[in-house]
Amino acid sequence: DATSMAPAATARAWLASALLVCSLASAGARTQRDIAKKTAQMTEEDWRRVEEEWETPEEKEEYEFKPPKARGLDVEKLQREKDPKKRQRMVEDSQKTTGPTMIFATVDYPGCCEDKTGTEEIAKRWNALLGSKGMDAQAYVVDNATILFSTNHGLFADEIVEFALEQPECVATDWNSKRTPGPAETPEWKAKDEVRKAAKAKADAEAKAAKEAAEKAAKRAKRRRRRKKREAKQKDEV
């Protein structure tokens, strides 16, 4: 479990410190002042070496990070399952990748979303929360109202989606061709979204009409040039 990694790392650091005190004491550091002086002079590499020297093979295997294994689709179990939603979930789970994956989250908040400033603050806060939970994911701002979660271990995607949906600014998540609404998908947001969609549709239609008009004008100008060229050629022949 990704969330259990942080406590384990803390326990390892505490154990390394305790073992170091014992090592320094046996090496001639007779007083607490001697021990404090020697530990203050130690580098990160020194701490890592002490930890590795005292770590047993069993402890190393226990604390070593192991990405979860991919789960295949059990066809027989799928056939026995009567609940359509559970069958769909089984298929989705079988399609999860052990490699990198991306999850999108739409956000909304007071003042959203004239620029990226507020969304960048949210992404920064979410990154801090992800780190405190020991989750292998990073949040990036894609546009004014969209945050992208990137992880190197796709089998943790469910946990990342669950995390995003717990955040009050999350409107919805999009992952694996599935959209899941969040707490910020309120009637007010839906009304604003309809207005935005209508404005975008209008702008797209106007841009398309302008492009078609420009193309027609270019074709007419090309035909006029050809006609003038033919007329000039006919006069030369006469």
Side-chain angles (χ1 to χ4, degrees):
D1 185 355
T3 58
S4 64
M5 292 170 61
T10 302
R12 293 178 68 191
W14 181 88
L15 179 60
S17 300
L19 294 174
L20 176 63
V21 172
C22 295
S23 299
L24 292 175
S26 62
R30 301 182 180 281
T31 67
Q32 292 183 353
R33 181 175 297 180
D34 292 337
I35 293 174
K37 183 177 180 181
K38 288 182 180 294
T39 54
Q41 295 172 347
M42 291 182 65
T43 65
E44 187 71 25
E45 181 64 23
D46 293 329
W47 283 99
R48 187 189 62 79
R49 187 168 57 252
V50 168
E51 183 179 341
E52 289 182 351
E53 288 175 355
W54 286 85
E55 189 175 55
T56 67
E58 291 78 11
E59 289 173 333
K60 184 175 182 180
E61 182 179 359
E62 178 184 355
Y63 293 127
E64 194 171 41
F65 173 69
K66 303 179 187 68
K69 296 181 179 180
R71 291 164 287 187
L73 179 61
D74 188 333
V75 178
E76 293 184 359
K77 187 176 180 180
L78 180 68
Q79 292 172 338
R80 291 195 301 269
E81 181 58 60
K82 303 300 182 183
D83 188 334
K85 291 184 178 180
K86 290 184 179 179
R87 285 203 300 267
Q88 181 181 354
R89 181 63 179 270
M90 290 170 64
V91 173
E92 290 173 355
D93 286 347
S94 71
Q95 293 173 343
K96 292 175 185 174
T97 173
T98 57
T101 193
M102 294 181 294
I103 301 155
F104 292 90
T106 303
V107 299
D108 188 40
Y109 50 88
C112 182
C113 298
E114 295 298 326
D115 57 34
K116 294 182 180 180
T117 305
T119 307
E120 287 172 346
E121 288 298 321
I122 291 172
K124 187 185 300 184
R125 176 157 45 83
W126 287 6
N127 276 325
L129 290 171
L130 288 167
S132 69
K133 293 175 178 289
M135 298 177 72
D136 173 40
Q138 190 74 21
Y140 303 92
V141 175
V142 177
D143 59 38
N144 295 5
T146 307
I147 290 176
L148 164 68
F149 291 98
S150 176
T151 177
N152 290 322
H153 304 288
L155 293 179
F156 290 146
D158 276 338
E159 296 179 35
I160 298 169
V161 169
E162 183 179 346
F163 164 83
L165 295 175
E166 290 174 351
Q167 310 310 311
E169 303 91 353
C170 181
V171 172
T173 58
D174 285 282
W175 172 67
N176 202 21
S177 301
K178 181 180 179 181
R179 182 183 186 279
T180 306
E185 189 175 271
T186 61
E188 291 77 14
W189 178 87
K190 291 180 179 179
K192 288 193 299 182
D193 190 50
E194 289 299 323
V195 173
R196 281 194 294 265
K197 287 179 179 177
K200 185 177 184 303
K202 182 181 179 181
D204 290 345
E206 290 175 349
K208 182 179 179 181
K211 181 180 178 181
E212 291 175 349
E215 290 175 349
K216 289 180 180 179
K219 288 179 180 179
R220 287 196 298 269
K222 187 175 182 180
R223 285 197 296 267
R224 283 196 298 269
R225 287 194 298 270
R226 286 179 178 176
R227 186 171 63 252
K228 288 181 179 180
K229 189 174 181 180
R230 285 196 303 268
E231 291 173 354
K233 185 178 181 181
Q234 289 172 354
K235 286 180 181 181
D236 291 341
E237 290 176 350
V238 172

